């Protein structure tokens, strides 16, 4: 049992408001003032479920998820709508940050965010490149499963050796891309350690937290290396997938993750 | 280890010609070691095999059933570096790989190959032991799904699985209901030597290659009516059964060998082993196959005689039948037999003790 004094929480995750709410389908009707639900809704519900289960087990557990909302370039009108909508849906948002586009990275850094989640790959890579842990918020097509939060780690990023990663330049990867991948591995480690602690609060079955490793390109031994490394970091994952070059999308459509770690080696073709 | 030795394939346009760089130490070829690339799922004939069909996990299954999940996983992790012993589908998978080797020699650029995928609902905690076992036997399995208890159906479809082999009859039933060719594999009662260089697959006819329509007539109205009906409808092809597609896939690969003049020593051989009789009801079976543009290398009409002894002579790597009676008869005499839970025979099973044990509702992790 974790010592209360060694509290490592909360696990702060940052979302952007345009992922939480669907700004494209704002209707002009006035029957509700709340913004339409966006792609992050299922994620929010799943996070809330994990927190509830954690608190159920230990009222004073401090390793809980905390979600903060970042909004770039908002008019005053939208700012109010955002806060109201969050209240309307009963979402547990810890803090709100309204900033300019170029302030995003600073905002993330200064708040020691443990994970920045976005549906925009470019935003994710930019953040990773500056050392901020970032992952894809996988687009949940429907209101799927609320009672389990699913996290996928990249077996390629974790399992490939340093030499192999350097060797990626022979396959057309730029220096920047390779650096991003290496940074992603460090970021994944920090996150995996925390998730590992959280995961251990629950048993094998009926856990609100599901962890996976997905290897896109690497051989089975790369996957094995990733499994061993994750174990060293304190996380024994629940599910493992090794695709050996087969496209990820069909598999992801079945797994339906919320958090998808992609350092740049995911085969989404 | 070379810096790129861990990479399998990169989908960058300029790298299309670059094949894989296998781990040097596991490759026994004298030529610069290049482990072949797994084919794209839609081009390949994908065989999904469960961990308990591929490997023997009886001891571990007992621990799971008697002591529960936590102890089971602890045991697996403790024994992580011990490879599993081969399971019932192991010789079949080895023979499939041998066919791939021959195909690659003849058609080095083709993706029309077998692709073996490990498809298991086991937890990833067992992953290292499974990978270690695959390495130990130098199997060419680079793709796997370990779903931690979740249903496999979505993954089977995502991989376009042409055949799913499992030791868990419930999972197989689920797959068949979803239109996926599947069979429950049983261990033979004794070990039979099977050929290493020729893949031999034997099929029952009704409710395996063909639909169960004729079996329904037999069950409802008896043997005489069955013969009458089959004679009357001799020229009307039967509807297809769950494994017709797999026979078709095997036939396509056979054609590739024939095209290179290798008909006589073709490394794939198929057999029809049916209770129909050559004199009468067998005609409709053959005509049906012909109407589909398919054939088996040998057709054995047993006219109701037990299939075990015939299969013992043939020595196939696997035999598919919809009736447990035949599956058990085959297994007793040393054939790896697989039950296809399809059609009318499933509601009128005569259960044996072994049957009951295998069909136990106790969840199977595999």
């Amino acid at each position: 049992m974790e010592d209360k004094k060694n509290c490592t929480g909360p696990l702060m995750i940052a979302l952007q408001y345009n992922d939480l709410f669907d700004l494209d389908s704002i209707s002009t009707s006035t029957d509700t003032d709340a913004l339409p639900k966006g792609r992050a809704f299922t994620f929010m519900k799943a996070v809330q479920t994990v927190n509830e289960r954690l608190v159920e087990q230990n009222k004073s557990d401090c390793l809980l998820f905390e979600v903060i909302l970042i909004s770039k370039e908002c008019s005053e009108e939208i700012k109010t709508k955002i806060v109201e909508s969050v209240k309307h849906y009963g979402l547990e948002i810890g803090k709100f940050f309204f900033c300019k586009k170029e302030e995003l990275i600073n905002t993330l850094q200064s708040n020691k965010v443990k994970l920045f989640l976005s549906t925009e790959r470019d935003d994710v890579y930019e953040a990773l490149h500056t050392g901020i842990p970032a992952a894809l918020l996988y687009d949940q097509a429907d209101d799927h499963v609320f009672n389990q939060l699913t996290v996928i780690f990249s077996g390629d990023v974790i399992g490939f050796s340093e030499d192999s990663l350097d060797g990626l330049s022979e396959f057309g990867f730029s220096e920047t891309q390779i650096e991003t991948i290496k940074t992603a591995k460090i970021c994944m480690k920090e996150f995996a350690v925390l998730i590992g602690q959280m995961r251990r609060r629950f048993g094998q079955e009926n856990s609100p937290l599901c962890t996976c490793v997905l290897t896109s390109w690497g051989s089975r031994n790369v996957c094995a290396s990733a499994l061993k490394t994750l174990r060293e970091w304190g996380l024994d994952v629940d599910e493992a997938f090794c695709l050996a070059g087969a496209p990820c999308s069909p598999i992801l459509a079945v797994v339906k993750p919320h958090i998808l770690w992609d350092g740049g080696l995911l085969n989404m073709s | 280890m070379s810096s790129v030795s861990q990479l399998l394939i990169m989908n960058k346009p300029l790298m299309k010609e670059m094949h894989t760089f296998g781990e040097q130490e596991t490759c026994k070829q004298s030529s610069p070691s290049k482990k072949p690339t797994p084919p794209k799922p839609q081009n390949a004939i994908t065989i999904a095999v469960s961990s308990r069909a591929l490997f023997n996990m009886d001891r571990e299954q007992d621990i799971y059933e008697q002591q529960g999940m936590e102890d089971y996983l602890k045991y697996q992790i403790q024994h992580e570096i011990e490879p599993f012993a081969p399971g019932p589908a192991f010789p079949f998978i080895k023979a499939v790989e041998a066919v791939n080797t021959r195909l690659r020699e003849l058609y080095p650029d083709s993706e029309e190959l077998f692709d073996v995928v490990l498809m298991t609902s086991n937890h990833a905690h067992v992953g290292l032991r499974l990978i270690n076992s695959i390495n130990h036997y130098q199997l060419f399995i680079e793709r796997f799904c370990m779903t931690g208890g979740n249903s496999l159906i979505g993954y089977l479809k995502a991989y376009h699985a042409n055949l799913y082999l499992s030791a868990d009859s419930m999972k197989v039933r689920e797959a068949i209901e979803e239109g996926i060719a599947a069979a429950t594999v049983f261990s033979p009662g004794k070990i039979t030597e099977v050929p290493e260089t020729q893949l031999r697959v034997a099929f029952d006819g009704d409710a395996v290659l063909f639909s169960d329509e004729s079996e329904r007539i037999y069950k409802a109205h008896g043997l005489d009516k069955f013969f009458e009906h089959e004679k009357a409808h001799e020229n009307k092809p039967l509807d297809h059964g769950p494994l017709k597609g797999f026979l078709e896939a095997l036939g396509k690969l056979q054609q590739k060998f024939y095209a290179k003049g290798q008909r006589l020593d073709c490394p794939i051989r198929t057999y029809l082993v049916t209770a129909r009789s050559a004199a009468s009801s067998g005609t409709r079976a053959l005509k049906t196959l012909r109407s589909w543009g398919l054939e088996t290398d040998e057709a054995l009409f047993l006219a109701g005689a037990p299939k075990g002894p015939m299969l013992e002579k043939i020595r196939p790597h696997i035999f598919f039948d919809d009736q447990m009676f035949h599956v058990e008869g085959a297994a007793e005499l040393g054939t790896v037999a697989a039950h296809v839970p399809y059609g009318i025979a499933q509601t009128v099973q005569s259960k044996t003790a072994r049957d009951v044990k295998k069909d136990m509702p106790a969840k199977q992790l595999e």
Side-chain angles (χ1 to χ4, degrees):
Chain A
M1 262 348 236
E2 319 291 316
D3 188 353
K4 256 192 278 177
K5 297 198 197 85
N6 296 330
C7 183
T8 42
L11 210 167
M12 198 178 296
I13 298 184
L15 284 179
Q16 294 191 80
Y17 82 113
N18 52 319
D19 279 334
L20 187 57
F21 301 114
D22 184 359
L23 301 168
D24 293 331
S25 65
I26 291 177
S27 64
T28 47
S29 72
T30 52
D31 56 358
T32 167
D33 289 317
L35 295 166
K37 295 185 191 180
R39 288 167 285 199
F41 250 73
T42 333
F43 163 75
M44 286 301 304
K45 293 292 181 188
V47 155
Q48 271 161 222
T49 306
V50 177
N51 279 352
E52 276 161 23
R53 291 280 302 272
L54 284 169
V55 168
E56 224 173 72
Q57 296 214 349
N58 177 7
K59 273 200 276 275
S60 48
D61 197 340
C62 54
L63 180 58
L64 299 173
F65 284 114
E66 187 183 321
V67 179
I68 67 172
L69 196 63
I70 302 184
S71 310
K72 296 184 302 209
E73 314 284 334
C74 288
S75 67
E76 285 307 313
E77 197 193 334
I78 293 286
K79 280 184 197 172
T80 326
K81 265 211 150 62
I82 288 171
V83 179
E84 278 174 9
S85 303
V86 165
K87 212 162 118 185
H88 172 88
Y89 292 112
L91 299 173
E92 283 165 21
I93 299 285
K95 297 191 183 89
F96 294 83
F97 292 94
F98 299 100
C99 62
K100 292 205 189 61
K101 197 163 183 240
E102 51 272 19
E103 290 168 348
L104 173 65
I105 297 293
N106 280 340
T107 313
L108 292 168
Q109 275 171 339
S110 53
N111 281 284
K112 298 204 175 58
V113 154
K114 294 285 195 290
L115 181 67
F116 168 50
L117 264 189
S118 173
T119 51
E120 290 297 318
R121 270 183 125 167
D122 289 334
D123 280 352
V124 169
Y125 292 153
E126 197 193 330
L128 276 174
H129 194 67
T130 62
I132 296 167
L136 282 173
L137 173 67
Y138 184 72
D139 202 341
Q140 299 267 332
D142 47 39
D143 284 337
H144 180 58
V145 143
F146 292 163
N147 57 10
Q148 191 175 65
L149 179 72
T150 303
V151 185
I152 295 187
F153 291 92
S154 164
D156 301 286
V157 170
I158 300 173
F160 276 132
S161 67
E162 187 83 10
D163 284 342
S164 292
L165 290 179
D166 286 329
L168 284 175
S169 52
E170 291 177 41
F171 288 88
F173 282 84
S174 70
E175 276 252 9
T176 315
Q177 284 173 312
I178 295 176
E179 278 314 305
T180 306
I181 293 168
K182 289 185 181 178
T183 324
K185 184 171 179 177
I186 300 169
C187 295
M188 267 186 228
K189 177 177 179 180
E190 289 179 39
F191 189 74
V193 168
L194 292 170
I195 289 288
Q197 286 174 9
M198 241 190 221
R199 181 69 189 82
R200 276 197 295 281
R201 310 268 214 262
F202 307 103
Q204 279 318 312
E205 292 166 296
N206 200 24
S207 163
L209 185 56
C210 177
T211 55
C212 318
V213 72
L214 190 149
T215 308
S216 265
W217 302 109
S219 64
R220 60 177 184 259
N221 289 319
V222 170
C223 194
S225 175
L227 288 170
K228 282 192 200 122
T229 306
L230 282 162
R231 185 188 285 171
E232 278 164 33
W233 294 347
L235 176 60
D236 263 312
V237 294
D238 302 292
E239 303 178 18
F241 303 92
C242 198
L243 269 52
C248 287
S249 312
I251 301 292
L252 290 175
V254 183
V255 180
K256 292 203 179 79
H258 301 92
I259 298 171
L260 176 59
W261 278 92
D262 165 21
L265 281 174
L266 213 58
N267 178 12
M268 299 279 254
S269 57
Chain B
M1 196 189 284
S2 128
S3 65
V4 294
S5 63
Q6 291 171 319
L7 285 156
L8 211 55
I9 186 171
M10 306 307 292
N11 195 26
K12 303 272 165 184
L14 46 114
M15 293 304 149
K16 264 214 169 78
E17 313 78 40
M18 301 197 83
H19 287 279
T20 60
F21 295 77
E23 291 88 353
Q24 252 67 357
E25 58 269 26
T26 60
C27 199
K28 294 248 153 96
Q29 291 161 318
S30 53
S31 57
S33 40
K34 281 190 183 169
K35 212 156 82 178
T37 320
K40 286 195 206 51
Q42 59 267 38
N43 297 341
I45 295 162
T46 303
I47 297 175
V49 63
S50 78
S51 51
R52 287 188 63 218
L54 184 61
F55 296 122
N56 181 328
M57 293 169 76
D58 288 344
R59 170 121 181 75
E60 290 75 8
Q61 182 65 21
D62 284 340
I63 294 175
Y64 171 64
E65 279 170 21
Q66 288 156 22
Q67 295 167 231
M69 176 78 81
E70 306 278 348
D71 282 358
Y72 163 78
L73 291 176
K74 264 199 207 102
Y75 181 91
Q76 291 282 29
I77 294 173
Q78 272 163 13
H79 295 258
E80 216 156 65
I81 56 170
E82 291 168 31
F84 295 109
F90 189 91
F92 172 70
I93 298 298
K94 276 300 241 194
V96 155
E97 290 189 359
V99 173
N100 268 2
T101 308
R102 292 278 297 271
L103 279 169
R104 286 197 167 102
E105 281 165 21
L106 295 175
Y107 301 90
D109 296 321
S110 172
E111 290 220 313
E112 286 171 341
L113 297 161
F114 286 113
D115 184 23
V116 180
V117 176
L118 179 67
M119 189 71 74
T120 174
S121 62
N122 243 314
H123 280 63
H125 296 206
V126 192
L128 284 167
R129 192 173 182 194
L130 285 167
I131 295 170
N132 287 338
S133 302
I134 292 170
N135 284 340
H136 175 82
Y137 296 105
Q138 293 175 25
L139 295 174
F140 188 69
I141 298 176
E142 294 295 350
R143 294 187 167 137
F144 51 80
C145 292
M146 298 175 193
T147 71
N150 290 324
S151 165
L152 300 170
I153 298 296
Y155 301 102
L156 288 169
K157 290 184 177 170
Y159 269 111
H160 307 272
N162 297 86
L163 180 67
Y164 170 49
L165 296 177
S166 168
D168 181 347
S169 59
M170 289 201 304
K171 292 197 176 69
V172 169
R173 208 157 290 173
E174 204 192 339
I176 290 276
E177 277 160 24
E178 292 283 331
I180 300 165
T184 315
V185 194
F186 290 90
S187 290
K190 57 176 190 170
I191 308 294
T192 305
E193 287 293 316
V194 282
E196 282 181 18
T197 52
Q198 185 181 63
L199 171 67
R200 295 185 183 172
V201 185
F203 299 87
D204 173 33
D206 296 280
V208 174
L209 290 177
F210 315 124
S211 74
D212 69 337
E213 57 194 85
S214 299
E215 248 177 45
R216 286 176 182 269
I217 308 243
Y218 166 63
K219 291 256 185 305
H221 305 292
L223 202 53
D224 288 335
K225 256 288 182 291
F226 167 75
F227 283 136
E228 240 181 73
H229 184 268
E230 292 309 284
K231 193 90 191 127
H233 294 87
E234 204 174 84
N235 293 308
K236 178 167 180 278
L238 292 154
D239 227 341
H240 68 88
L243 259 61
K244 178 226 177 190
F246 185 61
L247 175 67
E248 196 164 6
L250 291 177
K252 276 209 185 93
L253 290 184
Q254 282 179 309
Q255 291 297 329
K256 298 187 77 158
F257 287 103
Y258 301 163
K260 298 270 182 174
Q262 292 193 13
R263 188 180 274 271
L264 282 182
D265 59 346
C266 182
I268 300 174
R269 196 163 180 83
T270 57
Y271 305 79
L272 173 67
V273 181
T274 172
R276 287 177 180 250
S277 75
S280 54
S281 49
T283 317
R284 192 178 183 199
L286 286 180
K287 287 194 174 184
T288 302
L289 284 176
R290 203 167 300 150
S291 77
W292 293 341
L294 297 181
E295 58 176 15
T296 55
D297 294 292
E298 291 183 36
L300 299 121
F301 298 97
L302 297 174
K307 299 185 180 182
M310 182 59 70
L311 288 162
E312 208 184 350
K313 288 200 182 63
I314 293 172
R315 297 185 299 137
H317 293 88
I318 197 162
F319 164 59
F320 296 102
D321 201 301
D322 67 307
Q323 300 197 41
M324 278 306 297
F325 168 72
H326 289 303
V327 168
E328 291 190 322
E332 251 166 73
L333 294 184
T335 297
V336 173
H339 180 230
V340 182
Y342 173 77
I344 189 74
Q346 307 322 306
T347 48
V348 237
Q349 291 287 7
S350 56
K351 300 251 178 202
T352 64
R354 211 192 309 172
D355 237 12
V356 171
K357 186 176 187 238
K358 287 268 189 285
D359 282 345
M360 244 164 70
K363 207 170 100 182
Q364 292 192 18
L365 272 177
E366 54 106 59

